[in-house]
Amino acid sequence: MSAKKTIGIAATAVAAVTATAVIASLATGFPGNLIHGPTAASPGSADADGQPGPTSPVTDRTTTEAADAFLADWVDDGRVVRRDQGDDTVSEGQAYGLLVAAGVGDEQSFTDIWDWTEQHLQRPDGLLAWRWSDGEVVDDEPASDADLDAARALVIAGTRFDEPRFTEAGVTLAGVIADRMTAETAAGRILLPGVWAAATEPYAYNPSYASPVAFSVLGAATGDPRWAELQAGSAAVTTTLLDESPLPPDWAQVHADGSVDAMPGAAGTGQSVRYGYDAARLPIRYAESCNTADQATAARLASTLARSQELRAETDLGGSPLTSDVHPLALQARAAARAAVGNLPESADDLRAADELAQEVPSYFGAAWAALAPMMLTTGELDGCPPLTEGATS
């Protein structure tokens, strides 16, 4: 999520007692890619304030069913609609939609989402404007996590659907990202959060934007050595951060000399240094990597995240809660870290709990990660190396 994103997650969180009940009700084991949880309420039934309607009874869902539900419930004619946040659309959501559609092999949905993105969000330089609302772009600043995920999805889809235009679009987008949203430091090349961050040093940095699998996919597709440099530089910065604290921060800054500081939001504009809705994506992205060193990075978070069964959505960098809110992504992050250390049964339990929570309180962000996290962690459909595989916990 970019510095300008106001995601309103707290409005979709549930009370801590709900999280306790959800986790306590789980069975053990994880047969293949099955996740358990209630069916999400249809976002189309939201009330006048845009809040999701009542949930449906509990059912079991496969990873594919969770992905299909996201595409059915949150995508209209190729636009991923944040129904719980005023019906706007952000480039991050379009990228998530592209990844989900590519992962389940839904060529029509992928084509619709990319066509809408290309028509409404693509800037003259090829990057994606961040936010669209009420029929127009209202913030054209690109966010590199969205562009990176979109480029990865396009390259994967080009091969999966045998569609050269997707491959070409992904390769082109990758080139612009490397040109305009990366910087060289003594720690290595890093991914900047946006074009705005290239202006001054120290560079604003979001550790959760780095995606080892995306770097690998785009490096293979483009032959550009900068993607391998990004892989190495991102790993170095993340290692530095984790040498300083058990959990990574949502935001940091990287100096030209390679030194790194945790920061309270982009450019120091947040409430406090914290591990939250951004940083929780990091162990998922690193656990799906085919590089054992990246998997070890995800594993470093496991013991801290396991301290409390009632995992909170935001904590300090030592794991102490900063809110009573809970969110599916926090559980999915712990699932990734646990899988990376080989604790597969408890990892599977966390994925079940996350899916259940995502559906009890439907939200765009929760639904997106309810689809993506199990896809990344249990399947190889997005060209990663999942730490959870069929039969692994039986």
Side-chain angles (χ1 to χ4, degrees):
M1 285 171 280
S2 79
K4 298 185 179 182
K5 298 179 185 176
T6 306
I7 61 175
I9 297 272
T12 69
V14 297
V17 66
T18 302
T20 305
V22 169
I23 295 171
S25 70
L26 294 173
T28 59
F30 189 85
N33 66 348
L34 185 66
I35 52 180
H36 295 215
T39 302
S42 168
S45 64
D47 62 25
D49 294 326
Q51 297 303 310
T55 58
S56 303
V58 172
T59 62
D60 291 344
R61 302 197 308 182
T62 64
T63 298
T64 297
E65 288 168 344
D68 288 342
F70 175 75
L71 296 173
D73 293 343
W74 298 89
V75 183
D76 285 348
D77 298 324
R79 181 168 79 92
V80 179
V81 184
R82 300 200 301 182
R83 305 186 198 281
D84 56 330
Q85 297 178 55
D87 289 345
D88 69 346
T89 290
V90 290
S91 56
E92 167 202 84
Q94 295 301 110
Y96 289 163
L98 291 171
L99 284 171
V100 170
V104 295
D106 187 340
E107 184 173 2
Q108 186 59 61
S109 290
F110 188 95
T111 301
D112 290 345
I113 294 169
W114 176 243
D115 286 349
W116 191 93
T117 304
E118 193 174 36
Q119 178 180 352
H120 295 282
L121 296 185
Q122 196 159 42
R123 300 165 15 136
D125 64 2
L127 299 174
L128 307 180
W130 169 58
R131 183 167 176 257
W132 181 99
S133 183
D134 295 328
E136 62 182 357
V137 169
V138 294
D139 190 332
D140 69 354
E141 179 69 43
S144 64
D145 61 331
D147 293 66
L148 184 66
D149 284 340
R152 171 185 176 179
L154 284 161
V155 169
I156 291 171
T159 299
R160 187 148 302 161
F161 304 137
D162 192 22
E163 179 49 74
R165 81 174 178 103
F166 294 152
T167 303
E168 181 180 353
V171 167
T172 299
L173 180 54
V176 184
I177 295 169
D179 287 343
R180 302 209 60 200
M181 291 198 288
T182 70
E184 293 185 82
T185 72
R189 185 178 295 274
I190 60 170
L191 181 69
L192 302 175
V195 175
W196 60 272
T200 59
E201 180 275 330
Y203 302 109
Y205 186 75
N206 189 309
S208 76
Y209 283 18
S211 170
V213 176
F215 295 156
S216 177
V217 167
L218 298 179
T222 64
D224 188 337
R226 288 178 294 180
W227 293 103
E229 294 171 8
L230 281 166
Q231 170 86 344
S234 300
V237 169
T238 301
T239 296
T240 298
L241 288 168
L242 292 178
D243 285 345
E244 295 296 325
S245 60
L247 297 177
D250 285 342
W251 286 90
Q253 64 180 12
V254 182
H255 298 260
D257 66 4
S259 59
V260 185
D261 309 305
M263 293 293 289
T269 57
Q271 293 175 290
S272 64
V273 172
R274 61 187 58 206
Y275 167 89
Y277 299 105
D278 278 290
R281 297 178 298 185
L282 186 149
I284 300 171
R285 294 193 187 277
Y286 276 74
E288 67 157 344
S289 174
C290 298
N291 184 304
T292 56
D294 292 331
Q295 296 163 7
T297 295
R300 293 182 66 170
L301 281 62
S303 60
T304 301
L305 295 178
R307 287 178 184 168
S308 174
Q309 189 77 335
E310 299 175 15
L311 193 62
R312 296 296 185 259
E314 295 180 289
T315 73
D316 65 22
L317 301 191
S320 297
L322 296 175
T323 178
S324 61
D325 295 343
V326 293
H327 194 272
L329 184 60
L331 290 162
Q332 291 155 348
R334 187 168 66 185
R338 281 175 161 168
V341 297
N343 186 349
L344 304 186
E346 289 191 304
S347 173
D349 286 347
D350 279 337
L351 283 183
R352 287 193 200 89
D355 185 64
E356 192 165 309
L357 186 56
Q359 295 177 75
E360 286 185 344
V361 186
S363 69
Y364 142 75
F365 197 63
W369 280 100
L372 282 171
M375 188 178 291
M376 290 174 169
L377 297 176
T378 71
T379 83
E381 299 300 328
L382 293 176
D383 289 3
C385 294
L388 281 170
T389 56
E390 186 167 359
T393 62
S394 60

